[in-house]
Amino acid sequence: MRHNWLLFTVLTVILNFFAFDAHSQSYEIECLNVEQDGSQTLRVWGEGRNKVDAVEQAKKNAVDEILFHGVLKGNKGYNQRPIVTVVNARERYQEYFDSFFMDKGEYTNYVSMKDRRIGSTVKILGPTQVKCCITVRVLCPQLKAKLKADGIIK
């Protein structure tokens, strides 16, 4: 009887593991707060081969969202337009943005983990990838000033 109970428990755990659909989660970037200085606190997802890569990708995703898409999800009143409103700006200034978003690139100067709280990082392990959800602050006014100085926006 004990053997059957153990077998049943192991099978239940295995089936629940495979039944979990990571794609059913919402991976949208969400604005949690807009600070008095204009910076935005975001809840953002990233994916990578390990936790470090996933966190770095999440930071890149946060800056990319602020620049090119705007943040549409979050508390009421936080919907923000994108900083770069030029059509196809990512393609038009591809060389600039490729170097901006490279690993340990310029984007790191505009993302802060200052608002991170203990237990705020969610990690989902997959067979070959790790997905992490983190809380970051994007320094929008400084980012906008940098893009103006570099001639990307007016």
Side-chain angles (χ1 to χ4, degrees), residues 1-151:
M1 181 69 177
R2 183 175 176 191
H3 178 69
N4 288 341
W5 178 253
L6 181 63
L7 181 62
F8 175 74
T9 304
V10 169
L11 284 175
T12 303
V13 169
I14 290 172
L15 288 175
N16 284 335
F17 176 76
F18 287 111
F20 175 74
D21 183 11
H23 298 292
S24 67
Q25 296 258 345
S26 173
Y27 295 114
E28 291 182 55
I29 293 175
E30 181 180 1
C31 184
L32 301 177
N33 195 15
V34 177
E35 307 297 332
Q36 294 295 323
D37 64 357
S39 62
Q40 294 184 32
T41 304
L42 306 174
R43 188 103 166 122
V44 60
W45 288 87
E47 190 172 329
R49 60 185 172 83
N50 55 40
K51 184 178 177 182
V52 173
D53 287 348
V55 168
E56 285 307 310
Q57 188 60 47
K59 291 177 186 178
K60 289 179 186 181
N61 291 346
V63 174
D64 183 80
E65 192 79 9
I66 294 287
L67 287 177
F68 302 111
H69 308 287
V71 180
L72 304 176
K73 187 176 178 188
N75 295 334
K76 292 181 181 177
Y78 293 149
N79 296 342
Q80 302 291 321
R81 292 176 14 135
I83 291 175
V84 180
T85 56
V86 177
V87 177
N88 296 326
R90 183 78 158 109
E91 291 80 21
R92 185 180 290 176
Y93 302 108
Q94 182 174 358
E95 190 174 309
Y96 176 85
F97 286 114
D98 285 350
S99 67
F100 184 83
F101 283 112
M102 67 186 217
D103 290 342
K104 300 196 186 338
E106 189 75 26
Y107 79 94
T108 58
N109 297 329
Y110 306 100
V111 179
S112 166
M113 297 287 284
K114 185 177 182 177
D115 292 331
R116 194 182 107 200
R117 301 289 182 257
I118 294 174
S120 68
T121 301
V122 175
K123 185 167 106 174
I124 299 174
L125 299 173
T128 59
Q129 295 285 316
V130 173
K131 292 183 182 180
C132 281
C133 183
I134 60 173
T135 302
V136 298
R137 182 183 291 186
V138 178
L139 309 173
C140 298
Q142 294 89 329
L143 183 57
K144 196 171 191 174
K146 164 77 172 149
L147 294 174
K148 279 184 182 177
D150 291 347

